[in-house]
Amino acid sequence: MHKPLNIGMIGYGFMGRAHSNAYKQVSQFFNLAYRPVLKAACARDAGKIKAFADNWGYESTETDWRKLVERKDIDAIDICVPNNLHCEIALAAAANGKMILCEKPLAMNGPEGQKMVDAVEKAKVPNMVWYNYRRVPAVTLAKKLIDEGRLGKIFHYRAKFLQDWTISADLPQGGQGLWRLDIAAAGAGVSGDLLAHCIDTALWLNGDMASINAMTETFVKERKHNLTGKVEKVGIDDACIFMGRFKNGSLANFESTRYARGHKALYTFEINGEKASIAWDLHDLHRLQYFDHRDDSKVRGWRSIHVTDNGGDHPYMDKWWVPGLQIGYEHSFTHQVADFLEGLATGNPAMPDFRDALRTQYVLDAILGSAQDSKWAEVKQV
Ligand SMILES: NC(=O)c1ccc[n+]([C@@H]2O[C@H](COP(=O)([O-])OP(=O)(O)OC[C@H]3O[C@@H](n4cnc5c(N)ncnc54)[C@H](O)[C@@H]3O)[C@@H](O)[C@H]2O)c1
C-alpha cells in the first residue's frame, strides 16, 4: 500500500508546471512508499488557477496561500512563486506543521534564509529546495566520479550560465513573467537566478567556498515598471562575473549574464583535477565529458559518456528506458521528488534541504557585497 502525500502547490507558472509534471510521473516510474496526490493549487487569479488545476488534475483550488497552508488536508506545501514570497510562505507553512518544498533561491538573502532554516528546524518539518540540476543523471554521475577520487586533488572549478532574453531596452520590468527584472520581487539578478544553480552544483561537487571577488553590471539602467507604469531604476545585476577560492584550495571562475546573444540557457561547468577532468553542458545534458590522464597515451583523450546505461552505473537510468535512449530536463524534477519521497520513507532526507541551500545564499551575499564594495568578501559559513 502506498501512503498518500497531499500536495498544496502555490504558483502555476514555469515551475508550477515542472513540479506538477514530476508529481504525476514519479509513482509510475519509481516504486516508493509515498504517492503524491495533487490536492490543491493556489494563485491569486481564480479563473487561471482553476484552468491550471483542471489541466493537471488538482482536486481543488485556493486564491489565498494563507488559507492553503492552514488546510488540514494538505501535507506538503510547494512554493513556486517569485523569490520575495518564499520566506513568508515558508514560515507560515512551518508554523502549520507542513512539509515544504521550496523553489530556489531559498530566500532573498542570507539572513532571510537563516530565518527559514530556523523555522523548519523548530517545527521539525521535512524540507527541500529545488536545485534540480543535481539530479540530471550526468551531473549526479560527476558527483560519483569525484567522490570515488577519480579526479584527485581539484585545482579549478569553472562555471557559466548564459542567456540573452533581456537585451532589449524596451523590455519592461516587474509583474507576471517579468518579476525577475524587478529587484523587489527577485532580490538579485542573474546572480540569484542563474548563478545560484551553478553555485549549488559547485558546493555539492567541490565543497564550500571561502572567499569571493565579484563584479556585476546593469547594462540597461532604467525600464518601465509593469506594476506602476513608470520608468524606474533597474536594481538587478544583468551580468555577474566572480572569482573565488574553495575551502579545499581550488580556484573558482564563474560568469552569468542575460546579454550573451545566441545563448538561451547555456549552463556549463568544467572541473580540472590532478588526475582527470570533467565537463558538462546543459544543452547536451545527457552527456558527461571525461578526460583521464591515467589512460594509455595511445588512446588518451576526452570521452563523451552518453549517460543512458540502465545497469546501475548511470544514476536514475534504471528507472527509464533502454541503454542509448536519453531523458530530458523535466526528469531532473521527477528524480528530485523521488528522492524527497524516499527520504521521507527512510528518514535520510534528500538534499539540499533549507540548511544546505543556505550555503548558496551566503555565497550570493558575498558576491553582491564584494561587487558593491569592489573588494574580496569572506563567505559566511553555515
Ligand atoms: N529550479 C529551477 O530550475 C527554476 C527554474 C525557474 C524558476 N525557478 C524558481 O521558481 C520560482 C517561480 O519561478 P517561475 O519561473 O515558475 O515563475 P513564473 O512567473 O512562471 O510563475 C510564478 C507564479 O507565481 C504566482 N504568484 C505570484 N504571486 C503570488 C501570490 N501572492 N500568491 C500566489 N501565487 C502567486 C503567479 O501567478 C505565477 O503562477 C522562483 O523562485 C524561481 O527562481 C526555479
Side-chain angles (χ1 to χ4, degrees):
M1 272 297 286
H2 299 285
K3 292 183 210 161
L5 187 86
N6 292 341
I7 305 291
M9 164 71 68
I10 311 178
Y12 59 82
F14 179 15
M15 284 304 109
R17 293 166 63 234
H19 297 191
S20 300
N21 177 56
Y23 292 130
K24 286 185 76 112
Q25 200 176 49
V26 71
S27 306
Q28 274 66 46
F29 288 90
F30 290 75
N31 187 14
L32 298 158
Y34 287 89
R35 184 179 282 262
V37 176
L38 300 183
K39 205 65 180 173
C42 169
R44 291 157 301 176
D45 184 311
K48 286 185 178 161
I49 196 63
K50 175 79 172 59
F52 173 84
D54 288 348
N55 185 42
W56 287 97
Y58 282 88
E59 292 174 18
S60 62
T61 61
E62 294 287 351
T63 53
D64 181 354
W65 61 260
R66 288 172 189 82
K67 284 211 179 119
L68 182 75
V69 301
E70 286 172 3
R71 269 175 57 165
K72 297 276 177 283
D73 61 345
I74 298 293
D75 299 313
I77 293 291
D78 192 343
I79 303 174
C80 290
V81 290
N83 307 342
N84 61 328
L85 293 167
H86 292 187
C87 181
E88 197 185 357
I89 296 174
L91 296 194
N96 281 281
K98 308 299 185 201
M99 303 177 196
I100 308 171
L101 300 97
C102 182
E103 255 307 340
K104 52 56 62 179
L106 175 64
M108 298 283 273
N109 50 53
E112 199 183 82
Q114 182 68 60
K115 268 199 246 170
M116 296 167 76
V117 171
D118 293 344
V120 291
E121 290 185 353
K122 183 168 168 234
K124 296 191 170 54
V125 289
N127 55 92
M128 185 178 72
V129 179
W130 292 93
Y131 280 113
N132 56 299
Y133 292 110
R134 292 190 187 194
R135 266 91 182 179
V136 171
V139 177
T140 319
L141 179 62
K143 168 79 171 157
K144 230 174 147 182
L145 299 181
I146 292 168
D147 288 354
E148 284 171 8
R150 285 177 188 252
L151 274 67
K153 182 174 167 48
I154 290 174
F155 299 119
H156 293 284
Y157 194 111
R158 212 169 287 115
K160 57 181 190 279
F161 205 139
L162 311 180
Q163 298 185 334
D164 71 353
W165 62 279
T166 65
I167 294 176
S168 168
D170 296 334
L171 192 71
Q173 58 171 316
Q176 191 81 25
L178 289 169
W179 61 265
R180 281 179 175 78
L181 280 75
D182 177 4
I183 188 73
V190 293
S191 53
D193 193 36
L194 306 178
L195 278 180
H197 279 300
C198 306
I199 296 163
D200 174 74
T201 315
L203 302 186
W204 187 52
L205 295 179
N206 197 34
D208 280 312
M209 283 188 198
S211 54
I212 301 283
N213 195 335
M215 68 175 175
T216 57
E217 183 55 64
T218 303
F219 295 116
V220 177
K221 313 281 186 210
E222 292 185 324
R223 293 181 185 274
K224 192 180 132 216
H225 201 296
N226 274 331
L227 301 181
T228 64
K230 294 187 190 136
V231 174
E232 292 184 17
K233 183 172 176 257
V234 174
I236 61 156
D237 45 302
D238 284 338
C240 175
I241 298 174
F242 79 87
M243 58 182 175
R245 286 182 191 282
F246 285 87
K247 281 167 78 178
N248 66 5
S250 54
L251 303 185
N253 174 354
F254 285 59
E255 180 188 7
S256 187
T257 181
R258 296 192 186 118
Y259 288 70
R261 184 62 85 198
H263 292 303
K264 306 302 168 186
L266 185 71
Y267 173 15
T268 63
F269 65 75
E270 179 170 324
I271 309 170
N272 307 125
E274 171 192 9
K275 299 176 189 156
S277 290
I278 52 180
W280 177 78
D281 174 348
L282 174 57
H283 288 184
D284 210 3
L285 86 176
H286 51 279
R287 287 189 176 274
L288 189 69
Q289 311 297 330
Y290 179 73
F291 177 95
D292 197 323
H293 185 67
R294 290 157 297 193
D295 285 347
D296 176 348
S297 62
K298 288 197 286 299
V299 292
R300 189 190 295 147
W302 280 90
R303 311 174 199 173
S304 176
I305 305 167
H306 196 225
V307 185
T308 62
D309 178 71
N310 67 357
D313 280 338
H314 288 171
Y316 302 106
M317 294 311 296
D318 59 326
K319 301 293 185 296
W320 300 100
W321 316 118
V322 297
L325 300 188
Q326 67 219 32
I327 56 172
Y329 170 73
E330 71 271 29
H331 300 91
S332 61
F333 296 95
T334 309
H335 299 160
Q336 189 150 0
V337 177
D339 288 347
F340 180 76
L341 299 176
E342 178 81 11
L344 290 183
T346 60
N348 185 15
M351 293 289 136
D353 61 4
F354 280 20
R355 179 171 284 280
D356 193 22
L358 184 60
R359 295 155 72 216
T360 293
Q361 211 69 51
Y362 283 139
V363 174
L364 292 170
D365 284 3
I367 290 171
L368 295 178
S370 163
Q372 194 177 341
D373 301 344
S374 298
K375 60 180 192 198
W376 280 88
E378 297 300 309
V379 177
K380 187 172 156 74
Q381 303 297 313
V382 174

